[in-house]
């Protein structure tokens, strides 16, 4: 099929590349000139495992191109909207200006029977409004098709999603059946693999996305709340998670206690969901998400307190090695990163912080130039009074405690992600502390 993807951020680039990989003819469109130039040369503007290889092969096949010219969308029949919906500056609500601008720019280029497909995460009710705009200004129609990809696994999640959700307007000019048939053709490969499909209305499709993220955030904050209780009772939250996780109704995934969630989705999506619920008069239904957010943010403060405690109550003037800055491993994303937040707070306490990350050094430096960055863990830990692990990259999990103990000043480690083996570190002479563990 001929596809345009409007917005070449994380979601758009991965989607455009994977669609080309699946055999479709795709143009990725973005207003950012430098992004288009970089992508056209086969260089993604962010780190994502497997993407550079796939991008190179899709460009070489001739099926994928990038352009600043929205007019190029006129050749396509299916148009994915993949622009960002960030949190607005002063409220919890999502900023819809990029979505509105994308659809407005696309309108004059839509042909009869075209399908615009919303992928961006939006407040419930947005699709209905966009659908009215599209049907009034063209002979095209709209479907809402939320995206569930995880950073670090974005390619696999796009090629083989665990489910497909189509939000479709009933009884419109192009008809519900038509939109479904078009999307079936786009996703023919995944459907042939047996991927489950849910065909529903706009509101449900929009809500599926935010409900999924709210559930995941709640699961993480639940176990972090248990960590708070474990900290005052001497219990071990990691064993607690293992034990409750054996109950298939609960499940062990997303029960890793530690510094909590961050990134470009979970935090802003639960806040936008609360803001929308308030507009709809059902804020009480989501008041628990306020607590989910608070528990999550409290973990960062607790981490700083624990590091301070390890430094006899005063981090000022002490040397702290920070391992990890990205919001999670296998990503260079530092948006709302708990790790970067903790590193900055330690600097604010007067500590001498030396930070490292396998991929997020540049993104972190751009956001927080005041930190000192080094390329490797070995450099970061040199002469440190305490080592603080904030993102569970596999190379930090595999650090040799005996080897690095010769580099540090104080063999003290605080594990913010519960990802190290305490017995192993203690046996090598380290003082090991973690969140939610004795
Ligand atoms: C998330 C959703 O998983 C994805 O479906 C949606 O499309 C976008 O948002 P992502 O932001 O890539 O994806 O990250 P995810 O893997 O969900 O992790 C989010 C945060 O939760 C990370 O900061 C991670 O460190 C943290 N986390 C995750 C925990 O603290 N504990 C866990 O057990 C799992």
């Amino acid at each position: 099929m001929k596809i345009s993807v409007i917005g070449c951020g994380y979601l758009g680039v991965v989607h455009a590349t994977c669609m080309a990989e699946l055999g479709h003819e795709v143009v990725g469109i973005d207003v950012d000139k430098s992004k288009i130039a970089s992508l056209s040369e086969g260089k993604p503007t962010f780190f994502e495992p497997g993407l550079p290889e796939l991008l190179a092969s899709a460009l070489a096949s001739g099926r994928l191109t990038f352009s600043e010219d929205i007019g190029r969308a006129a050749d396509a029949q299916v148009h994915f909207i993949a622009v960002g919906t960030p949190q607005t500056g002063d409220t919890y609500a999502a900023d819809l200006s990029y979505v509105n601008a994308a659809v407005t720019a696309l309108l004059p280029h839509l042909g009869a029977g075209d399908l615009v497909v919303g992928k961006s995460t939006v407040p419930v009710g947005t699709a209905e409004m966009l659908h009215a705009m599209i049907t009034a200004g063209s002979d095209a129609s709209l479907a809402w098709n939320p995206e569930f990809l995880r950073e670090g696994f974005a390619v696999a999640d796009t090629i083989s999603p665990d489910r497909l959700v189509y939000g479709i307007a009933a009884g419109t000019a192009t008809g519900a059946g038509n939109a479904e048939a078009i999307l079936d053709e786009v996703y023919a490969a995944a459907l042939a693999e047996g991927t489950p499909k849910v065909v529903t209305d706009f509101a449900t499709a929009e809500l599926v996305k935010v409900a999924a993220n709210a559930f995941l955030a709640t699961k993480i904050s639940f176990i972090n709340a248990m960590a708070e209780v474990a900290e005052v009772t001497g219990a071990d939250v990691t064993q607690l998670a293992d034990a409750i996780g054996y109950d298939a109704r609960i499940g062990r995934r997303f029960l890793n206690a530690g510094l909590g969630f961050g990134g470009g989705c979970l935090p802003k999506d639960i806040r936008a969901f609360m803001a929308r619920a308030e507009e709809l008069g059902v804020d009480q239904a989501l008041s628990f998400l306020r607590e989910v957010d608070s528990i999550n943010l409290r973990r960062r403060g607790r981490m700083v307190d624990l590091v301070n405690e390890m430094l006899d109550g005063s981090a000022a003037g002490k040397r702290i090695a920070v391992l990890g800055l990205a919001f999670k491993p296998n990503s260079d994303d530092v948006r709302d990163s708990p790790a970067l937040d903790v590193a900055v707070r330690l600097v604010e306490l007067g500590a001498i912080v030396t930070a490292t990350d396998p991929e997020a050094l540049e993104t972190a430096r751009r956001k927080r130039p005041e930190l000192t960055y080094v390329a490797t863990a070995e450099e970061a830990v040199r002469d440190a009074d305490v080592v603080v692990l904030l993102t569970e990259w596999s190379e930090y999990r595999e650090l040799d405690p005996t080897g690095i103990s010769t580099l540090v000043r104080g063999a003290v480690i605080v594990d913010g992600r519960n990802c190290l083996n305490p017995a192993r570190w203690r046996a090598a002479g380290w003082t090991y502390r973690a969140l939610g563990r004795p």
Side-chain angles (χ1 to χ4, degrees), residues 282-337:
V282 284
D283 44 322
Q284 264 191 331
L286 297 190
S287 61
F288 72 97
L289 286 180
R290 205 165 287 279
E291 206 48 54
V292 165
D293 202 10
S294 305
I295 293 165
N296 191 53
L297 295 175
R298 274 207 300 275
R299 290 287 77 191
R300 303 175 186 189
R302 170 66 188 146
M303 186 69 191
V304 172
D305 290 347
L306 192 53
V307 175
N308 228 1
E309 196 184 311
M310 293 296 98
L311 294 168
D312 301 324
S314 174
K318 305 282 173 48
R319 300 187 71 89
I320 301 178
V322 161
L323 305 182
L325 295 160
F327 85 103
K328 69 172 191 179
N330 301 314
S331 168
D332 65 355
D333 198 341
V334 294
R335 283 177 293 172
D336 211 334
S337 168

Side-chain angles (χ1 to χ4, degrees), residues 10-11 48 121 146-154 157 162-163 209 212-213 216-217 219-221 223-224 252-267 269 296 300 326-329 331 333 335-339 390-392 416-417:
Y10 212 102
L11 168 58
E48 179 61 38
T121 302
E147 178 56 56
F148 307 103
L149 63 78
R150 298 160 299 166
E151 295 191 14
F153 302 92
D157 284 351
D162 50 19
R163 77 284 210 192
K209 170 69 189 196
N213 278 353
L216 294 172
K219 212 171 169 190
I220 298 168
S221 278
I223 201 65
N224 282 333
R252 181 63 178 81
R253 293 178 73 190
F254 266 69
L255 276 187
N256 293 322
L259 259 189
F261 59 83
C265 292
L266 259 45
D269 286 353
N296 191 53
R300 303 175 186 189
F327 85 103
K328 69 172 191 179
S331 168
D333 198 341
R335 283 177 293 172
D336 211 334
S337 168
L390 300 179
T391 313
E392 69 277 31
R417 290 291 179 183

